[in-house]
Amino acid sequence: MTQPILSLRGITKHFGGVKALTDVSLDLEPGKVVALVGDNGAGKSTLVKVMSGVHRPDSGTYLFEGREVAASNPAEVADMGVQTVYQDLALCDNLDAVQNLFLGRELTGPWYTGYRVSRAAAEKRAKEVLKRLRLDSISLTRNVGAMSGGQRQNIAIARSILWEPKVVLLDEPTAALSHSAAEQVGDLVRELASHGLAVLVISHDIHHFVLDNTDRIEVLRLGRNAASFNSKDVTGEQVVNAMVGGNEAVNMAG
Amino acid sequence: MTDASIPPTPTATPTRSLTERLGNELSFVPVAVGLIALFLFFATQSDVFLTSRNLSNLLVQSTVTGIIALGLVFVLLTGEIDLSVAATSGVASVFMAKLVMDFGLPVPLAILAGVALGGLVGAASARWVTLIGVPSFVVTLGVGLVLNGIQLLLLPRTGRYNLMNSGVDQLAATHVTGPMAWGLVLCAIVLFALVMGSTWRSRQRAGLSASFNAGVLLPVVIVALFLVGVLVFLENQRGLPMPVILFLALLGVMSYIASETRFGTYLYAIGNNAEAARRAGIKVDRIKITAFAIAGCMAAFGGILSASRSLGVSVSSGGGVGGGALLLESIAAAVIGGVSLFGGRGMVVGALFGALIIATVSNGLNLMGVANEARLIVTGLLLVVAVSIDRGIERLARPG
């Protein structure tokens, strides 16, 4: 078993009287895709926000590369090598793929050009990255607003790995996508893992997306660890069962 | 157009449709076509229209609106609006005149002080907008009225500073002729060619698709033809008027800032998705304040140029109370030029075309002997048509 790169131990987070997370533990290993599933309100998003530094846990330990870290703000966590792609993607529709990939981190020329943006260098770099991720079909010069949902999702993911993080957290990457677009995202997720990244995916699409594209499934229920499955030897029904708890789940899944 | 030098690298990149390009780097084409159509129309209606004396007038007429619109484009790109630009231009020109006439400040210093005041006003409005989170149109509406009041306070009891022979009048009255004018035009063309050429060369070095004909030759030829055309036409009049030179120079600088710098990219990013820009680490407030400050500086400079042309400042400088026609025409110039009021879309060069269209309509209808009310009606309709065309292109460029 490979050493986890990111480990959470006994994470508890309450918002007033609401117990969002209670004693939750989670490991992410390099080269592995972990699915985080759970019913609405199970604490998935809160957990991702703890991991990305948006929320500070009330108690528990955040270990990165074996060391305990504070993870108290998002920029710090991103610099450490943990990138998060939120559901809204945060793309600018009036800019093209290259501009979106480098937004806020443009490569620039010398002072006498007025720190002119080095478009060619950025485009070259973007091309290499997209090629490595097998996303060559994405146009570099079209506005992302004119692209399909799957392509936009993939650009957002590509942007998160442009500066070579070690961990990528994906919040509902397939929620608004068609079946074929979700497959494109699935391909990309496995591609990321094959490059040695640790990937965490939140998804509701258990039967199509989670079982096909992940290595392990972590189930949260009512803010606690409910189950952990190896994706290869589990059925969708078993996962759904663990999500909602008890036998009534079988009927729902059927 | 054939592809020069290296063949484009084979990728699965789909070609971009015409509508998509019209929505982006070619967004000025419809308005340029409209301008040519207007020229042809007025040329058939009046023998005087295409004379160099008239075109010289027309160009100079467009500069004040054009310069104010140039600055406004930056603010509009971020999705905000500044309704105080006309009032800023008025108060800055009166401030400048007061410094010259009452305090005997040298003209260049007074002009600098006026421009700085405009920048300060813009920055202050934007600071307020970003700090409190009030819509910019309300804040700048209020600021505009405040400035109108200050303008009245700054004016002497006569209500007017006469700038005849004050030195300020030289700004608009100067004409550049002969080798000097040709030198200027040549400089401008060479600078433009350098910018386009360096883009092409860096793409070629990086092994990216780069077409010399489409990327360098064609734009440079168009710009050169335009500038040489203007020069040849105005040379047999009195040469290049200083306001036109200043307008075109500012246009070049502002275009470069918008399309080539980080700041320019951020203007577009913020106008489309401010939250995404913020999360990408862009200091949204600071960019907006800078955009408003630039708009304030440009408005002030436009006002000073206007004062220099009309040889004085008065109550009606800056379009009078509320900004009047000057405010509306400045906004209209930017919008007719293809700049979206909702932010994130448009090009700086649109301000040139928009201002030229407004000046052409007013000039042409005057020559036809049409009354002022018709001019307002036509300009208003043009605005509506321009925005509608823009909307149509935007819809067509969407997926699906």
Side-chain angles (χ1 to χ4, degrees), chain A residues 187-213:
Chain A
D187 291 343
L188 177 56
V189 165
R190 277 182 281 119
E191 190 66 34
L192 294 183
S194 77
H195 288 286
L197 271 87
V199 184
L200 179 85
V201 187
I202 291 187
S203 180
H204 282 295
D205 189 356
I206 297 182
H207 290 273
H208 295 120
F209 187 80
V210 171
L211 291 179
D212 291 350
N213 296 302

Side-chain angles (χ1 to χ4, degrees), chain A residues 131-152:
Chain A
K131 188 168 179 150
R132 206 169 65 208
L133 298 176
R134 297 172 199 280
L135 296 174
D136 324 46
S137 67
I138 289 180
S139 164
L140 294 173
T141 53
R142 293 184 77 178
N143 287 355
V144 300
M147 295 185 184
S148 69
Q151 287 180 324
R152 292 161 54 81

Side-chain angles (χ1 to χ4, degrees), chain B residues 32-46 49-50 360:
Chain B
V33 171
L35 185 61
I36 292 169
L38 276 177
F39 261 64
L40 292 177
F41 172 74
F42 286 124
T44 63
Q45 298 297 311
S46 161
F49 182 76
L50 277 187
T360 303

Side-chain angles (χ1 to χ4, degrees), chain B residues 87-106:
Chain B
T88 303
S89 80
V91 86
S93 64
V94 171
F95 180 62
M96 181 269 315
K98 193 177 186 67
L99 289 180
V100 173
M101 305 308 289
D102 290 358
F103 297 94
L105 217 66

Side-chain angles (χ1 to χ4, degrees), chain B residues 319-361:
Chain B
V321 173
L326 182 63
L327 173 63
L328 296 180
E329 290 190 350
S330 304
I331 297 172
V335 174
I336 288 176
V339 180
S340 168
L341 281 174
F342 304 103
R345 291 183 64 249
M347 291 174 78
V348 172
V349 74
L352 169 70
F353 290 114
L356 280 179
I357 283 200
I358 288 174
T360 303
V361 167

Side-chain angles (χ1 to χ4, degrees), chain B residues 262-297:
Chain B
R262 280 183 159 199
F263 175 73
T265 310
Y266 296 169
L267 292 177
Y268 285 91
I270 290 169
N272 184 266
N273 192 341
E275 172 59 16
R278 193 188 61 74
R279 274 202 237 152
I282 296 169
K283 295 189 169 60
V284 173
D285 288 359
R286 201 183 290 177
I287 302 286
K288 280 188 179 173
I289 292 168
T290 312
F292 272 87
I294 291 173
C297 287

